[in-house]
Structure formats: C-alpha cells, structure tokens
Amino acid sequence: MSEPIIEIKGLGKTYLIGHKSDTGSYTALRDVVGRTVAGFGRKVMDMAAGRQIIQGDEVELFSALKSLDIEVDQGEVVGIIGRNGAGKSTLLKILSRITEPSEGKVILRGRVASLLEVGTGFHPELSGRENIYLNGAILGMTRNEIKLKFDEIVDFSGVERFLDTPVKRYSSGMYVRLAFSVAAHLEPEILVVDEVLAVGDVEFQKKCLSKMKDVAVGGRTVLFVSHNIAAVQSLCNRGIVLHSGNKVFDGAVEDAVYAYTNKISKNNDRALRGGDGPHIVHASICDDSLRHGDLVVRLEFESPYALEKPFAGLVVKDILGNPVFGHNTMMDETFVSKRGTSGILNFSVTDIPLHAGEYVVSLYFGDRSQNYHIEEDYINFLFVAPPIPMGISTSQIGNMRVKGVWVQS
Amino acid sequence: MQEKLVLEPGRANKNYWKDIWHYRELFQVLAWRDVSVRYKQTVIGVAWALIRPFLTMIVFTVIFGKVAKLPSEGEAPYALLVFAGMLPWTFFSTALSEASNSLVSNANLISKVYFPRIIVPTSTMVVVLLDFVISFIILLFMMLWYQWVPGLQFLLLPLFLLLAVLASIGPALWITSLNVKYRDFRYIIPFVVQFGLYVSPVGFSSNVIPDNWRLLYSLNPVVGVIDGFRWCIIGESNIYIPGFILSVVVTLFFLWFGINQFRKMEKTFADLI
C-alpha cells in the first residue's frame, strides 16, 4: 500500500456561464432589440467557431474547483462536505470520468463506480428483472457478475413479487429500493456515493448504511458526499471540507464536521445575493432576544412582481444536521399575509425548548404554490440555556429541553 | 492495484478503441433495450415496420411510375424498383434520426455515468437494422408475387448493406454530436430526411439523371448505396462505376470525419447536455 489509491493534484474545473444584464425597472424596446441582435450575432459566431452556446448577455468564467490536492489511501472512507455549490458534485463527476478537468490531474489506481443517483438508466417500460441487467451493465458490471449476484440483489431489494412487472408500475419506494440494490452489489475498488441515502424509508436507509459499512470494511475505498452530517459522521473516518472550490479542511471526521459548522456559522446576520425571482435579501437572528431565551428570526424579501401570499418557513437543525424543529407561515393560523413586492417577515418563539448548543437554520421563501428561494443551513445561532449536568450530552438525551418536575414522596 | 488511470485535461485517449471493446456488453444491452421497448404499448407492434415502407412504396409507385411515367430499369416492375431503393433509404434516414436523438434522450445516462459515448448512437443502429430485416421480408414476398428471379449478384447484397451501414454511421455521428451542442439540429434533421427522399433516387432510377450531371449527383453517398441495391435485386442495368467510386469515397470520408468530430466533442457532452 505504498501509493495512494486516489491522487488529485492541482485539480481545477471551470465552466462558462451566462448572465442577463441588469435591466433596471423598465426596459425599452430599443434595448431589447439591441440585446437580441447582439446575442444572436454572438451565438452565430460561437457556432461558426465551434464553441458552446451560452444564454444571456454577459459571459463569465466560473471556477467550480480551484487547484485541489487530495490523496486517499486504500480502505479509507472519506466524507466530503460543503455547502451547495462548494464543488462536491463537480469533484465526483471528474472522478467518475463524466466530465474532464480543466487543469491538474487525477490518478486512480483501481476501478471506480459511482452511485451518483439511484435508478440511472432504468427504463420504465422494462420489467424489474430486465432493469437489473440493464442497470448493472450501465454501472459497469458484466453479465456474468450480474447473474451471480441476481438473487442477492433481488433479496436485498425485497421486490421479488414484482420482478416481471414494468418498473413504471412500481411505487417510488420499490423503484428506489431496486435501484439501490443493483448499485450496492457493485464491487469496485473505489466507490463514489452522492446523496443516495436521502431516499427510501427509515428501515431501508438503515439497510443501505450498513451495506455501505460492509463495503468499507471489505477494504474498499469510499468517497461519500452528503449534506447529512450525521450520516457522514457515522460512516466516514476522514472528512474533507470544500468551500467555493477550495479545500478548507482535511482530517478526522469529527474535526471536519466542526470546521464545516464553523465555516457556515460566524454569522447570524447575513445579506443574501439576489436571484431573478422572488428572494430573501436579508436574514438575521436577534441576539438580544436569544440572550433572554427567545428565538426571533427576521426575513427581508424582495420580488420582481407582487406576491399574492408571501410564504416563509424555517427548519432548525443541530450541528449534526438532524432537524430539531420547523415552522412556517401556514402553521400559524393567526398569520395574515400582505400582497406586495417586498416586505419583512418576523418569526418568533419564546422560551426555546432546546438545550444549549449550536444550531443551524435553513430558510424557505415562496408563495402558497411554490418555494422560490431555499437557503440550506444559512444562518446559525449559539444558544445558551441552563447547562445540562456534567457527564450527559445532547447526543444521549436529545436536543429537547422539557420542563419536567420530579417529586419524591 | 491492477489498473492505473490518469485523468487530465485534453488527454489524448490512446485506449479509445480498447475502451469501446471493454464496454461491448453495454452496447449489446442498450441495443437490446431499444429493440425491446420499440413497439411496447402499441396495438399492432412490429407490424409498424411492415406497414410504413409498404404504403410509401405504393404511393411512390403510383406517383413516379403511373402519374409521372418515369421509366423503370429494363423489364423490372416499377414497384420492385421503388422498393429496392426504399430499403436502403429507409435504413439511412431512420438511422440518422434515431441516432441524432439518442444522446439527448439518454441525457440522464450521459450526465451520471461514464462509458464511451459512441456506444449510444451506434447501438440505435441495431434497431434500425432489425426494421430493415423486417422490410426485407416484404421484398422477398414482392419478388415472389412478380415472379422475379434475381441473378447471382443478389448474393452480394450483404456487402451493400455494409456500405449502407457505413454511409449512415458517419453523418449520424457528426449530427449526433452537433445536436448535443446546438439543438438547432433537432429541427434540421427531419427536414434533411424529407428533402433527401426526393433528392436521392428512391422513387426513380438514377438512369434518368442526365449523363453530364451524374458524377455530381453521386456526391450523395446514398446514391451509391441505392444503385448497388438495385443492381443486386434487379440487375438490369450496370452500376455507373465512376459515380459509385465517388459515393464510396464520400462515404469513407464522412465515416472518418464523423468519428473524428464525435471524439472531439465527446468529452464535453456531460457539460453541455
């Protein structure tokens, strides 16, 4: 085991992206015509030169990964964590050869299989049996390998009775179970997993996790990408934190989780970058109230058009990524929404029933029909409550703080 | 640690053909998938592969043979002449349109899993080949009906079928890769196919083309294929050799060009699709 099984040196990936230029409050026909003509001219030039067509008025080079160096030894189970857009998925795409790097290189010493999404390549018209063969071949198994493992795959999925039914008649749970079973029985030296565990019921998720642990125990190398920090912690022994294309931490998984939560913390008062549609422009948690044991979250939103019934919601999670509680405007019967293009929504809960600790808040904003803007794990807060006795931690008793009364008689 | 793989930008892929060989099972599986879902949830199923060419043949025979009164080749019934031309043309045009959409309709595969991309458009050829075989049965029945006995050259037909396959693969690969990058081609292909039906000698013998235009006419690679098919099946007039050679040369050029273009663009498919 002299050489690392995965060697990443100075890896970078850039994409071309287009923007619509800011048009201000009204648009003149002259501008629209001018831009359309210019855009058409550019597209024709691009096509003549064999370049990619980019929608929008302004073109920008976007680096998804910036000179990344990582070495992974055989048998390691590495968790890769980071916010949306940190470059996790791009890294996995490069490792699984779906896309080419723009610079640097990767040396892989073993067969790579990726579980980027379960059910990739399932054909709805084909039966479960046929799809096992199809999916297996797509994931890189030979027909003999599939034949040998066929019974195991079927057993694991628990869909024996429906093997000859077209998968379009499957329930979504059955579909996912069958798909994961095929993927789980791949036996590559390097397994790349991206968020596949976010599906299926709890029991099946447990089954998947233990299957993945088996894979790791078998001396294979696993790269695991997830938002679910609890899953990363229980599976991996090493963690790498990515932040906007850079590696900001590499080490033991507990430290990585801490580094990640630290990275996203620091701020409980953040301005957000704008989007095209209705969006949150500013979100904050009131420090003063927090000191008194109350949680007050203030959301400021803007929209290019008037929203009939602005809607907002939030989910509070612990630092392991487990949701603790959530609330939204529809759950409050007394809430009256006002039509408008901008506004402020305040959420408050008095005497938070939580133990002391660090919590992360995800924000949702939309109207009654859909969410326009979701910010996962965006603001966070440190809550100081009456301390729990020494020797007991929230990992044992949970995050809920109930006002219990004990009487001895 | 058996295999060592280095991923770099712009890596010249030396193992390209070896890699394709390695994935031959996927080729079989994808082809089998396309074949088995082709006529699912249709009432008459495979009969579609019989009805479409048969009806087209009748229409063409009536319009070109009876209405326009174009000459047949020798004593051959006009319907046979039309069908001998339609076999390769249908193959070519279906191959072109099936292949060109194959990558886009398999976008979820392309953006999730690695395999040599060339497998996807080429595996659609198998379905088209199957349709060809079915239409060929019609031809045999027609020969029985007209009591038409072809000469020994009939045995060379597989050779011209191979030429038809090669003539389709080149342009198909080129257009497939362009279609990923520029979806304009989705609208261009049906037009090209419709146009080509009248430009190629499907409804008429290529003998009706004036001699001084014939070489130019043979720039269309399908002309060589159709002439070859007619010679095998009917055998009343000899192949126009300079034109045939030109057709073969154009075919080979497109084959080389198509594969080259496809390989050049292949690496960026996942970013573009």
Side-chain angles (χ1 to χ4, degrees), chain A residues 50-51 98 106 108 143, chain B residues 5 7 25 28 112 181-182:
Chain A
R51 282 193 301 265
I98 292 160
V106 179
L108 298 169
R143 199 171 313 168
Chain B
L5 184 70
L7 311 176
E25 279 202 353
Q28 291 166 16
K112 294 280 153 52
K181 216 168 184 183
Y182 311 109

Side-chain angles (χ1 to χ4, degrees), chain A residues 3 13 15 47 50-53 94 96-102 104-110 116-117 120-121 123 125-126 130 134 137-138 142-143 168 189, chain B residues 1-11 19 25-26 28-30 32-33 36-37 40-41 108-114 117 181-182 185 267 270-272:
Chain A
E3 288 181 303
K13 174 80 186 173
Y15 288 102
M47 188 167 158
R51 282 193 301 265
Q52 174 190 350
I53 293 176
I94 291 173
S96 46
R97 298 171 71 189
I98 292 160
T99 180
E100 274 212 321
S102 311
K105 67 172 171 183
V106 179
I107 301 172
L108 298 169
R109 296 186 176 88
L116 288 186
E117 198 176 273
T120 299
H123 199 289
E125 298 282 353
L126 295 177
E130 291 167 323
L134 173 64
I138 287 168
T142 63
R143 199 171 313 168
K168 65 177 175 184
E189 280 89 27
Chain B
M1 300 191 187
Q2 326 87 333
E3 28 183 335
K4 178 179 157 182
L5 184 70
V6 182
L7 311 176
E8 277 176 310
R11 162 185 57 128
D19 218 20
E25 279 202 353
L26 183 61
Q28 291 166 16
V29 168
L30 285 183
W32 158 80
R33 176 196 71 176
S36 57
V37 301
K40 276 221 169 132
Q41 219 169 12
N108 62 335
L109 277 190
I110 305 288
S111 57
K112 294 280 153 52
V113 198
Y114 170 78
R117 304 325 192 186
K181 216 168 184 183
Y182 311 109
F185 284 86
K267 313 246 145 110
D271 299 338
L272 295 173

Side-chain angles (χ1 to χ4, degrees), chain B residues 46-114:
Chain B
V46 185
W48 279 117
L50 294 168
I51 290 174
R52 284 190 320 187
F54 190 71
L55 290 181
T56 320
M57 184 267 297
I58 290 176
V59 171
F60 270 48
T61 309
V62 169
I63 291 180
F64 287 103
K66 296 278 182 286
V67 179
K69 294 206 170 56
L70 288 173
S72 179
E73 290 180 2
E75 293 298 305
Y78 205 83
L80 208 57
L81 175 101
V82 168
F83 206 78
M86 261 186 49
L87 272 178
W89 171 256
T90 314
F91 179 83
F92 178 80
S93 61
T94 327
L96 213 60
S97 37
E98 293 273 323
S100 63
N101 282 323
S102 63
L103 279 181
V104 178
S105 56
N106 281 300
N108 62 335
L109 277 190
I110 305 288
S111 57
K112 294 280 153 52
V113 198
Y114 170 78

Side-chain angles (χ1 to χ4, degrees), chain A residues 76-364:
Chain A
E76 274 193 296
V77 182
V78 182
I80 297 173
I81 41 190
R83 294 168 39 95
N84 287 335
K88 301 172 306 223
S89 302
T90 309
L91 177 62
L92 294 198
K93 277 191 171 178
I94 291 173
L95 288 179
S96 46
R97 298 171 71 189
I98 292 160
T99 180
E100 274 212 321
S102 311
E103 55 183 42
K105 67 172 171 183
V106 179
I107 301 172
L108 298 169
R109 296 186 176 88
R111 187 166 83 149
V112 182
S114 55
L115 290 187
L116 288 186
E117 198 176 273
V118 283
T120 299
F122 263 37
H123 199 289
E125 298 282 353
L126 295 177
S127 72
R129 184 191 306 277
E130 291 167 323
N131 265 310
I132 291 178
Y133 281 95
L134 173 64
N135 199 227
I138 287 168
L139 294 171
M141 288 157 104
T142 63
R143 199 171 313 168
N144 282 331
E145 269 180 276
I146 304 171
K147 241 179 228 158
L148 280 175
K149 297 215 178 105
F150 190 84
D151 292 334
E152 236 178 289
I153 293 174
V154 174
D155 255 11
F156 189 83
S157 68
V159 296
E160 296 93 334
R161 290 207 299 133
F162 305 98
L163 264 189
D164 295 306
T165 314
V167 294
K168 65 177 175 184
R169 310 229 185 283
Y170 278 30
S171 76
S172 54
M174 280 156 61
Y175 188 90
V176 165
R177 286 212 301 273
L178 184 64
F180 186 83
S181 311
V182 180
H185 289 81
L186 276 171
E187 287 184 345
E189 280 89 27
I190 304 167
L191 184 67
V192 172
V193 186
D194 188 3
E195 298 280 11
V196 278
L197 299 177
V199 290
D201 51 24
V202 176
E203 199 181 326
F204 188 70
Q205 279 189 23
K206 268 189 197 156
K207 225 165 145 187
C208 297
L209 277 172
S210 75
K211 180 78 195 172
M212 286 191 47
K213 272 184 184 151
D214 289 351
V215 170
V217 169
R220 281 183 219 106
T221 312
V222 183
L223 285 188
F224 181 52
V225 163
S226 181
H227 279 298
N228 184 348
I229 294 175
V232 171
Q233 266 195 320
S234 69
L235 266 177
C236 308
N237 44 33
R238 178 177 159 197
I240 292 173
V241 181
L242 293 182
H243 187 75
S244 56
N246 292 304
K247 183 172 80 172
V248 292
F249 185 85
D250 187 350
V253 71
E254 286 78 18
D255 299 336
V257 168
Y258 184 74
Y260 170 63
T261 39
N262 241 359
K263 191 82 208 164
I264 60 168
S265 63
K266 301 283 184 250
N267 282 311
N268 58 12
D269 184 345
R270 297 185 76 162
L272 289 117
R273 64 189 143 72
D276 276 344
H279 59 278
I280 306 168
V281 287
H282 192 259
S284 62
I285 291 173
C286 179
D287 271 334
D288 243 19
S289 323
L290 210 56
R291 239 167 272 141
H292 296 105
D294 303 332
L295 177 66
V296 176
V297 182
R298 183 174 177 278
L299 288 184
E300 222 179 299
F301 67 88
E302 273 177 14
S303 166
Y305 47 86
L307 292 173
E308 282 306 324
K309 288 199 164 147
F311 160 92
L314 50 81
V315 175
V316 173
K317 297 176 187 169
D318 64 13
I319 55 163
L320 298 178
N322 298 317
V324 181
F325 67 84
H327 208 276
N328 68 26
T329 47
M330 282 193 268
M331 289 161 74
D332 179 6
E333 284 156 9
T334 61
F335 173 72
V336 182
S337 58
K338 296 191 192 80
R339 188 176 186 276
T341 57
S342 67
I344 294 168
L345 288 161
N346 276 304
F347 167 75
S348 63
V349 47
T350 47
D351 196 14
I352 322 170
L354 291 177
H355 286 303
E358 208 172 351
Y359 297 92
V360 197
V361 184
S362 301
L363 304 171
Y364 299 80

